[in-house]
Amino acid sequence: MTKEELKNEIKRLKNQLDVTVVAHFYQQDEVYEFGDITGDSLELAKKAKADDSKYLVFCGVGFMGQSVKVLSPEKRVLMPKIACCSMAKMIEVEAYEESVKIMNDSGIPNENILPITYINSSAAVKAEVGKMGGLVCTSSNAKMIIETALKEGKKIFFIPDRCLGQNIANDMGLKSAVIGIDKNIADADIICYNGFCSVHQLFVPSDIDFYKEKYPDILVAVHPECDPSVVAKADFTGSTSQIIKWVKEQPINQKLAIGTEFNLVNRLREKNTYVLSSTKPECPTMNETTLEELYAVLKSIEDEKPINEVIVDDETVKWARIALERMMELS
Ligand code: SF4
């Protein structure tokens, strides 16, 4: 099939089937354009939960499809590609339990630990967080969730992204520490797991220096998954949705450099916008989803033999859902 034929087939299948295509901002353009629902993790979780189609075809990474399934277990969630975010892969249940033990050994008992997991984690890890009375956050609401959680007077155990945890601690004037790196973790308000995003780690402070020297009036926006040394030099820090909104608010002639995933920045190009890196910051797992795979999933629904269905066991759904719903109630 040529690309045009493929696109026409996808349109036909979307029109004929009881299906909604969900696409994250970081998907390739040719896949993204078929999204009935688009957005960042929080928007997708909320909108997909409210959708009433029988099938949700989720173009994103594994933990996102799992989150939708956990929030709406009655829905059939299929993914053209079940690709795993490298950050989410950095923490599994064993590593979570080991980290809790390290905190216990540092003199922090379980009853003084409030775990918060960034949405970029598996359903199994979210379930562990739910069991310990914790909750989920996204980059859009992390600060508000942490502010609210701190009122319980406990230590925040923030997983898996150390950068997001450290950046929020810096923003709020709180002390953070990273397990395995910092000594005296018991002194910190926010204790972070040592995970990170392989894409946002590509941005370094000298990228900002380069653009500021070249265009002294340029404004720089970065994602909070970037290292704190990068965030400290940026003019604006926000989630993907917040960056899109910020870019739209800038005057048309304002030069901007953006430090987040390439596909999203590329869509903002008409706004005098540069990618804040000499290395193309593409997320390999987000880019794994292809038009051919989107077509294959839709065709499998038409043939009544659905493929790549997201399955989460009932016990995991129960506890991960509690952690996700605590976040939804607050946001
Ligand atoms: Fe995971 Fe980073 Fe890719 Fe987002 S950009 S899906 S955090 S690897």
Side-chain angles (χ1 to χ4, degrees):
M1 244 191 274
T2 65
K3 197 149 262 189
E4 269 326 292
E5 286 168 339
L6 198 56
K7 287 187 175 184
N8 287 337
E9 268 295 281
I10 291 173
K11 279 182 203 148
R12 175 187 72 77
L13 289 163
K14 278 187 64 186
N15 286 337
Q16 286 180 3
L17 300 170
D18 184 9
V19 64
T20 296
V21 175
V22 184
H24 189 271
F25 281 140
Y26 294 172
Q27 290 287 296
Q28 298 182 61
D29 285 350
E30 62 182 24
V31 171
Y32 182 81
E33 71 186 39
F34 284 107
D36 303 301
I37 296 174
T38 56
D40 64 13
S41 326
L42 180 60
E43 290 169 327
L44 295 184
K46 281 183 177 169
K47 289 179 190 169
K49 187 175 190 298
D51 186 81
D52 57 7
S53 298
K54 180 174 177 191
Y55 290 99
L56 287 171
V57 172
F58 199 105
C59 305
V61 289
F63 73 82
M64 296 177 179
Q66 280 189 334
S67 294
V68 172
K69 183 69 184 173
V70 163
L71 287 168
S72 316
E74 72 289 353
K75 291 198 176 108
R76 301 205 51 188
V77 182
L78 310 181
M79 298 190 73
K81 184 89 179 191
I82 305 187
C84 188
C85 154
S86 58
M87 182 199 289
K89 251 191 211 167
M90 288 178 191
I91 186 161
E92 284 304 341
V93 173
E94 295 73 23
Y96 176 87
E97 288 170 348
E98 270 170 35
S99 301
V100 170
K101 184 164 182 315
I102 290 171
M103 293 174 74
N104 294 159
D105 293 345
S106 301
I108 312 166
N110 277 14
E111 52 273 24
N112 282 356
I113 300 172
L114 181 56
I116 298 179
T117 179
Y118 190 25
I119 197 161
N120 298 32
S121 58
S122 67
V125 168
K126 289 185 181 81
E128 293 305 310
V129 167
K131 284 179 203 166
M132 272 186 81
L135 69 170
V136 177
C137 74
T138 69
S139 49
S140 301
N141 63 23
K143 186 177 172 191
M144 179 276 292
I145 296 278
I146 288 180
E147 260 168 356
T148 309
L150 281 167
K151 289 179 188 152
E152 291 198 24
K154 298 181 180 179
K155 299 280 185 193
I156 303 293
F157 173 35
F158 193 83
I159 60 170
D161 185 13
R162 71 166 169 81
C163 294
L164 184 58
Q166 288 173 312
N167 285 324
I168 290 171
N170 292 344
D171 189 34
M172 294 173 69
L174 297 170
K175 197 165 177 198
S176 65
V178 180
I179 292 176
I181 292 186
D182 295 311
K183 291 183 182 137
N184 301 327
I185 57 170
D187 291 345
D189 306 295
I190 302 178
I191 299 166
C192 305
Y193 183 79
N194 190 17
F196 58 86
C197 166
S198 51
V199 180
H200 289 95
Q201 288 299 295
L202 294 173
F203 303 105
V204 289
S206 59
D207 292 330
I208 298 184
D209 297 339
F210 170 82
Y211 274 109
K212 292 268 179 185
E213 271 165 36
K214 195 166 179 191
Y215 306 114
D217 296 334
I218 200 167
L219 293 177
V220 176
V222 299
H223 194 281
E225 287 171 19
C226 293
D227 190 83
S229 60
V230 174
V231 167
K233 286 192 164 220
D235 299 294
F236 178 80
T237 302
S239 66
T240 44
S241 296
Q242 289 161 346
I243 288 176
I244 292 169
K245 182 167 175 287
W246 179 84
V247 168
K248 284 185 184 151
E249 287 165 1
Q250 303 309 314
I252 192 75
N253 292 326
Q254 174 66 53
K255 284 189 171 39
L256 306 169
I258 311 293
T260 192
E261 207 275 340
F262 178 80
N263 286 323
L264 181 135
V265 182
N266 202 33
R267 276 180 221 122
L268 298 170
R269 275 276 165 89
E270 79 267 17
K271 269 283 205 165
N272 228 340
T273 302
Y274 300 87
V275 179
L276 181 71
S277 176
S278 49
T279 313
K280 198 175 177 187
E282 276 182 316
C283 173
T285 35
M286 282 285 184
N287 274 283
E288 280 183 33
T289 306
T290 63
L291 267 188
E292 286 77 7
E293 287 159 342
L294 175 56
Y295 165 74
V297 162
L298 292 168
K299 186 75 176 74
S300 76
I301 298 172
E302 183 183 49
D303 295 343
E304 297 181 0
K305 289 180 185 157
I307 57 170
N308 289 359
E309 184 157 6
V310 177
I311 308 287
V312 185
D313 67 79
D314 293 347
E315 183 69 5
T316 303
V317 165
K318 177 184 155 189
W319 288 107
R321 189 173 179 166
I322 286 172
L324 276 160
E325 285 185 338
R326 284 183 186 132
M327 169 186 76
M328 303 290 236
E329 279 161 24
L330 291 176
S331 50

